[in-house]
Amino acid sequence: MIRVKDRHITWHEGMTVADMLRELGDGFPYAAALINDRYVCRRDFPTALIPDKAEIILIPGVGGG
Amino acid sequence: MSGYMGKILHVDLTNKTTSVESPSDEFYRKHMGGSCLNLYYILKEMQPGLDAFDPGNILAISPGVTTGFAVSGQSRVTINAKSPLTGAIGDSQSGGFWPSELKFAGFDAVIVKGRAQSPVYLWIHDGEAEIKKADHLWGKFTGDAEQLIKEELGDEKCKILQIGPGGEKLVRFAAVLSMCNRANGRTGMGAVMGSKNLKAVVVRGKQRPQAADQATVKELAKTGGITYPKSMVAGMDKYGTASAVLGMQAAGGLPSYNFTSGVFDQAQNLDGTTMAKSILKGSDSGKQDKLGADTCFGCVVKCKRVVEINHGPHPVDPVYGGPEYETVATFGSYCGIDDLPAVAKANELCNKYGLDTISCGATIAWAMETFEAGELTPEDTGGLDLRYGNAEAMLELTQLIGKRQGFGKILSEGSARAARHLGKGERFLITCKDQESPAHMPQHKRSMALIYAVNPFGADHQSSEHDTEYEPETFEHFSGRLAHLGLREPQPVDALNPAKVAYTRRTQQLMSLLDSLNLCQFVWGSTWQLFGPEEILSFVRAATGWEVDLEELLEVGERRLNMMRVFNAREGISANQDRLPEKFFNTPLKGGISDGWKVDKPEFEEALHEYYRQCGWDEQSGVPTPETLKRLGLGWSL
């Protein structure tokens, strides 16, 4: 099980960030993700592996601030 | 009369008089509030060609017709005047509780002219206004002045918009602060207040704006709360805008080393997620989600940060809030500094002295690059070692700028004036119309090249939607809302073709409308925010009862932009200053995925003319044509 956006998603061996986003299904174009404390940018979503029990923070590409 | 209070307060500080005007419903519908309303008075009442510090400069402060209803992202205020930094129109927004409270006090705007003989503040309450002495407040940090005013008025709940010592001493990028942590930061509006000997505008009242359709307003308030957890802005309450650091780093668009690079190897040390774990108030006991976030009147997003540091070399008082993304970038990656407590300290100093964190951090970064190049020496800097990464020097310099002392006095003029004064470092400038660029890179997001150049008040990142929301790979998600603006042709992030120009211009009109209604772009923007164009329309209709359509609203945004261009033309500023810093064209970025990126000059020039054409402005001068002004009901400004 992994945790993202206050939701729990079932983990499977070889799960990538792209897989996780498909499971999450919110369709948002995130710019980056923090997997525990490891940072992954969007271009690496298809290949970046997620370990079991990971805590994930998704980061949008903020326009202002 | 719905939405607005029907009263505009006029203050003449020279003659110590106040008067109240009650404009027509037609006037409110045409201007809505914010900069559009402010510009009306500035164009009508201010002589062209005055110095920004002349008593004749008009300082106009107003929220909008939707302010004061408890719906997310509506409590904001815009301040306008001639800018002492750019010489063009000045414009700056901020949120908090002051904007709503002005309406509760019975007014839609405050228009200030003249100069008081000695320091004063305005006390506006329950439909009345007084000019009160402020000699005892002059020279005080914002936090101390706030406390003294509350004690003096015997009202803990009054809301205070004020300047700090930076504005009093006429730092050209001085900010105006409310709650000591919300800044109308850009374009030096604090210095204009200082030049008028106006320390603060204090408001309090029990009136409330009346909605024409209260049920719809209530429904919008409710919808915001329900939608937020499922929206893309969810997480702002936990990590704030500084969570953008890693997104920018990922894209190669995090300005680093004074825009020399788009990546900063230590970016993670500065990110909002790191801030939440380390320095947010309550983080030592795991209560940062509750204690480390703050919000504005009626808003569910809670994007504001509260930092508290009680140990180490950089203690930070939570009264002064915490750094936003822009502040983290300008004092952090711009300066090659990855010390987050030091960056938070710089934010505290800016809020104490009343300084714009973007211009302040970026001006220091410019000095650092000039120092690294050997053009500035310790003799110039008063012995400060301004190499990149020196957090202690950055903090010392921030204080010197706030005090206008030593080398800080030269930098308090802004980087462009400092470069001209010293005859050094002009090639390192990142300014447009003499205003320092915020933390979004034209080398990465190409429409920023156009908007930084053409924006009437200098480089600004909140004057249009960014390219990343119009890319083919993200467009599907945003297409519904963008279709309301007629935008259906997604373009690559680095394109600057006519379709991208149309995207820039059309979203600029929407942002311009938001800055007239004073709706927050994080909540009401056209792409991934909580609400979109349809809800803007519902809100305005429900608040005011006007049967407006989206085109009429967008025309308000267009009107504001044209009024600003008219103001600038009167001051001799037009296409001649719609320029980008040469550095963006001739110095390719170094390192990371953005290595080698730069703005293509011929493409930029072509986009500039295309933009003028699409705006209905003279293609050579960039000045609105008489036909365009008449179409927008601005024939009187000719």
Side-chain angles (χ1 to χ4, degrees), chain B residues 151-323:
Chain B
E151 285 169 15
E152 181 173 309
L153 297 174
D155 189 343
E156 260 301 305
K157 292 184 175 175
C158 65
K159 304 294 183 279
I160 300 163
L161 191 71
Q162 61 164 319
I163 58 169
E168 296 168 11
K169 291 178 184 295
L170 309 183
V171 174
R172 286 187 188 270
F173 48 82
V176 181
L177 274 290
S178 70
M179 301 167 74
C180 303
N181 51 46
R182 266 74 163 179
N184 288 81
R186 305 242 71 191
T187 67
M189 297 297 92
V192 176
M193 265 180 83
S195 75
K196 295 183 174 304
N197 276 328
L198 178 60
K199 176 70 176 175
V201 183
V202 187
V203 293
R204 185 83 165 104
K206 291 180 180 158
Q207 299 181 39
R208 292 291 181 274
Q210 299 302 306
D213 175 0
Q214 186 61 28
T216 298
V217 170
K218 276 188 177 170
E219 187 59 31
L220 277 167
K222 196 171 137 194
T223 308
I226 295 167
T227 310
Y228 175 69
K230 301 171 199 160
S231 75
M232 200 161 150
V233 273
M236 277 286 189
D237 55 335
K238 281 179 186 281
Y239 308 115
T241 57
S243 62
V245 168
L246 288 180
M248 295 299 177
Q249 171 81 351
L254 178 66
S256 304
Y257 305 101
N258 195 38
F259 274 68
T260 297
S261 177
V263 291
F264 182 53
D265 289 345
Q266 296 80 31
Q268 201 163 337
N269 296 346
L270 296 172
D271 188 66
T273 54
T274 303
M275 194 188 303
K277 283 185 288 191
S278 58
I279 61 170
L280 278 194
K281 186 176 181 181
S283 56
D284 50 357
S285 56
K287 293 180 179 169
Q288 66 269 36
D289 287 356
K290 189 173 179 187
L291 302 175
D294 192 11
T295 194
C296 303
F297 172 73
C299 188
V300 298
V301 177
K302 295 182 185 170
C303 67
K304 301 300 291 181
R305 304 292 82 188
V306 183
V307 166
E308 182 173 45
I309 305 176
N310 295 312
H311 48 80
H314 306 304
V316 172
D317 184 340
V319 163
Y320 295 102

Side-chain angles (χ1 to χ4, degrees), chain B residues 29-48:
Chain B
R29 184 161 173 168
K30 194 170 165 185
H31 300 93
M32 305 274 173
S35 334
C36 194
L37 185 148
N38 290 344
L39 259 291
Y40 172 84
Y41 290 102
I42 290 170
L43 285 173
K44 285 271 186 184
E45 298 187 9
M46 187 177 166
Q47 275 179 39

Side-chain angles (χ1 to χ4, degrees), chain B residues 41-104:
Chain B
Y41 290 102
I42 290 170
L43 285 173
K44 285 271 186 184
E45 298 187 9
M46 187 177 166
Q47 275 179 39
L50 293 179
D51 187 84
F53 295 144
D54 189 285
N57 195 359
I58 304 287
L59 181 80
I61 307 169
S62 70
V65 293
T66 46
T67 311
F69 299 101
V71 175
S72 291
Q74 53 52 59
S75 186
R76 291 179 69 77
V77 63
T78 298
I79 306 180
N80 299 96
K82 181 173 180 177
S83 166
L85 185 66
T86 67
I89 188 66
D91 180 284
S92 191
Q93 286 80 33
S94 82
F97 287 74
W98 191 95
S100 303
E101 197 71 28
L102 175 66
K103 293 190 70 175
F104 302 165

Side-chain angles (χ1 to χ4, degrees), chain B residues 548-615:
Chain B
V548 289
D549 58 23
L550 192 58
E551 280 309 311
E552 181 179 341
L553 291 184
L554 288 167
E555 197 171 275
V556 174
E558 190 182 4
R559 186 172 295 121
R560 166 186 175 267
L561 290 165
N562 277 268
M563 290 165 98
M564 288 179 157
R565 295 293 292 203
V566 167
F567 178 90
N568 284 357
R570 294 188 340 179
E571 304 298 316
I573 295 169
S574 50
N576 58 343
Q577 289 201 32
D578 287 346
R579 313 305 309 163
L580 274 188
E582 286 299 315
K583 182 173 179 175
F584 292 175
F585 299 120
N586 62 23
T587 310
L589 298 179
K590 290 178 186 163
I593 69 165
S594 46
D595 188 65
W597 292 0
K598 61 186 175 78
V599 179
D600 181 75
K601 199 165 191 174
E603 186 181 47
F604 165 78
E605 296 287 350
E606 206 166 301
L608 199 56
H609 291 290
E610 174 68 22
Y611 173 83
Y612 294 155
R613 266 195 298 277
Q614 291 190 16
C615 287

Side-chain angles (χ1 to χ4, degrees), chain B residues 246-567:
Chain B
L246 288 180
M248 295 299 177
Q249 171 81 351
L254 178 66
S256 304
Y257 305 101
N258 195 38
F259 274 68
T260 297
S261 177
V263 291
F264 182 53
D265 289 345
Q266 296 80 31
Q268 201 163 337
N269 296 346
L270 296 172
D271 188 66
T273 54
T274 303
M275 194 188 303
K277 283 185 288 191
S278 58
I279 61 170
L280 278 194
K281 186 176 181 181
S283 56
D284 50 357
S285 56
K287 293 180 179 169
Q288 66 269 36
D289 287 356
K290 189 173 179 187
L291 302 175
D294 192 11
T295 194
C296 303
F297 172 73
C299 188
V300 298
V301 177
K302 295 182 185 170
C303 67
K304 301 300 291 181
R305 304 292 82 188
V306 183
V307 166
E308 182 173 45
I309 305 176
N310 295 312
H311 48 80
H314 306 304
V316 172
D317 184 340
V319 163
Y320 295 102
E324 301 283 348
Y325 164 68
E326 297 294 331
T327 310
V328 162
T330 53
F331 286 106
S333 56
Y334 278 44
C335 294
I337 290 169
D338 71 340
D339 181 341
L340 190 55
V343 169
K345 186 70 187 177
N347 180 70
E348 182 202 69
L349 290 170
C350 285
N351 289 352
K352 273 183 169 175
Y353 282 95
L355 304 174
D356 173 30
T357 59
I358 297 177
S359 278
C360 190
T363 296
I364 293 171
W366 165 81
M368 285 181 162
E369 184 170 14
T370 309
F371 188 92
E372 291 266 0
E375 292 186 30
L376 280 177
T377 65
E379 285 78 57
D380 296 307
T381 67
L384 285 173
D385 175 3
L386 287 186
R387 275 176 292 188
Y388 286 129
N390 189 343
E392 298 309 317
M394 176 273 285
L395 290 170
E396 175 66 21
L397 202 39
T398 301
Q399 295 207 59
L400 288 172
I401 289 169
K403 295 175 184 169
R404 288 198 84 208
Q405 288 179 355
F407 187 54
K409 187 173 181 182
I410 294 171
L411 295 195
S412 73
E413 296 286 294
S415 55
R417 278 185 175 75
R420 292 195 289 267
H421 171 80
L422 294 163
K424 297 175 179 181
E426 284 210 48
R427 66 199 164 104
F428 303 130
L429 288 173
I430 55 163
T431 51
C432 300
K433 298 186 178 71
D434 283 359
Q435 174 159 260
E436 291 72 18
S437 292
H440 300 267
M441 305 187 80
Q443 298 95 327
H444 163 223
K445 297 186 273 195
R446 207 50 54 83
S447 74
M448 293 293 103
L450 178 61
I451 208 73
Y452 281 12
V454 300
N455 191 49
F457 48 94
D460 184 65
H461 59 295
Q462 295 197 279
S463 288
S464 63
E465 278 294 352
H466 294 199
D467 307 63
T468 38
E469 279 71 52
Y470 204 42
E471 285 183 276
E473 67 176 281
T474 60
F475 181 66
E476 188 185 342
H477 183 70
F478 305 122
S479 57
R481 285 181 174 176
L482 289 173
H484 287 289
L485 305 178
L487 297 166
R488 297 182 179 85
E489 296 179 73
Q491 300 295 321
V493 73
D494 60 351
L496 197 52
N497 53 26
K500 183 66 75 68
V501 172
Y503 171 73
T504 307
R505 181 184 60 83
R506 199 68 172 150
T507 59
Q508 184 189 22
Q509 286 174 359
L510 182 84
M511 297 302 193
S512 183
L513 165 69
L514 295 181
D515 289 345
S516 302
L517 290 166
N518 271 307
L519 292 174
C520 176
Q521 296 176 9
F522 285 148
V523 179
W524 295 91
S526 50
T527 54
W528 52 267
Q529 289 80 357
L530 199 56
F531 299 125
E534 283 176 308
E535 289 87 358
I536 296 172
L537 192 55
S538 297
F539 194 14
V540 174
R541 284 176 171 174
T544 63
W546 297 327
E547 285 301 313
V548 289
D549 58 23
L550 192 58
E551 280 309 311
E552 181 179 341
L553 291 184
L554 288 167
E555 197 171 275
V556 174
E558 190 182 4
R559 186 172 295 121
R560 166 186 175 267
L561 290 165
N562 277 268
M563 290 165 98
M564 288 179 157
R565 295 293 292 203
V566 167
F567 178 90

